[in-house]
Amino acid sequence: MYKQTMSVAKGVGMGILAGAAVAALSTKAMNGSHRKAAHMKKNASKAIHTVGNIIGDMEKILK
């Protein structure tokens, strides 16, 4: 069970990294539209924070 949970956590971590890379590329692509880029950055930050909380909760459950 522990190995399966850690595999899920690693998968979520890789998803976060991929999402951050896409966010960085899209922010560079939207240089002309500062308002949209700022909104996207805010949403990405909220999503990363939420996923971090989920991973923290999973760690607490396993202990």
Side-chain angles (χ1 to χ4, degrees):
M1 174 95 177
Y2 178 76
K3 287 184 180 182
Q4 289 175 341
T5 306
M6 291 311 294
S7 295
V8 170
K10 287 179 185 177
V12 169
M14 294 301 286
I16 291 171
L17 289 175
V22 170
L25 290 174
S26 62
T27 301
K28 285 188 177 185
M30 292 177 25
N31 278 339
S33 176
H34 177 69
R35 180 176 250 172
K36 286 183 182 179
H39 184 67
M40 183 183 295
K41 190 174 185 181
K42 183 178 178 182
N43 284 344
S45 177
K46 286 181 182 180
I48 290 172
H49 182 67
T50 302
V51 171
N53 286 340
I54 291 170
I55 291 173
D57 291 342
M58 286 175 41
E59 289 177 356
K60 289 178 186 175
I61 290 170
L62 291 175
K63 287 184 180 180

